[in-house]
Amino acid sequence: LCGPPGSGKTMSLISVLRSMQNVVLANLNFSSRTTPELILKTFSQYCTYFRRGKDTVLEPAEALGAQSWLVVFCDEINLPEEDSY
């Protein structure tokens, strides 16, 4: 979505995704203070960790339902410098 700041891009997209059946929304709002730990904490609310050989993988939790889609929405991912918030 394109538009000037404050035009409602994020709110419009979130509203549509939340209104859809079988869609679970994991919303990540990035800023200069976003850390990998914060991202993993968010994923742990929606996913289960599995070891497969030497790798660790994340899968949507069974509690979400077999027919559900997990949508990860990343907002403000392009912030190159500290913001005022």
Side-chain angles (χ1 to χ4, degrees), residues 9-85:
K9 299 178 296 291
T10 298
M11 294 306 296
S12 296
L13 183 59
I14 289 174
S15 177
V16 168
L17 289 172
R18 285 188 177 156
S19 71
M20 297 176 70
Q21 291 183 355
N22 301 324
V23 171
V24 177
L25 178 62
N27 195 12
L28 291 169
N29 292 304
F30 285 78
S31 73
S32 61
R33 291 187 177 86
T34 302
T35 63
E37 291 80 18
L38 179 64
I39 295 169
L40 290 174
K41 184 178 178 181
T42 301
F43 283 146
S44 71
Q45 295 175 9
Y46 300 96
C47 299
T48 305
Y49 288 84
F50 288 98
R51 293 284 292 165
R52 295 224 173 108
K54 296 179 182 178
D55 299 323
T56 301
V57 295
L58 290 163
E59 292 183 355
E62 288 183 24
L64 299 179
Q67 301 299 318
S68 293
W69 285 84
L70 176 61
V71 176
V72 179
F73 174 60
C74 300
D75 195 18
E76 302 293 344
I77 198 168
N78 63 336
L79 287 176
E81 57 190 53
E82 288 190 25
D83 59 13
S84 60
Y85 306 101

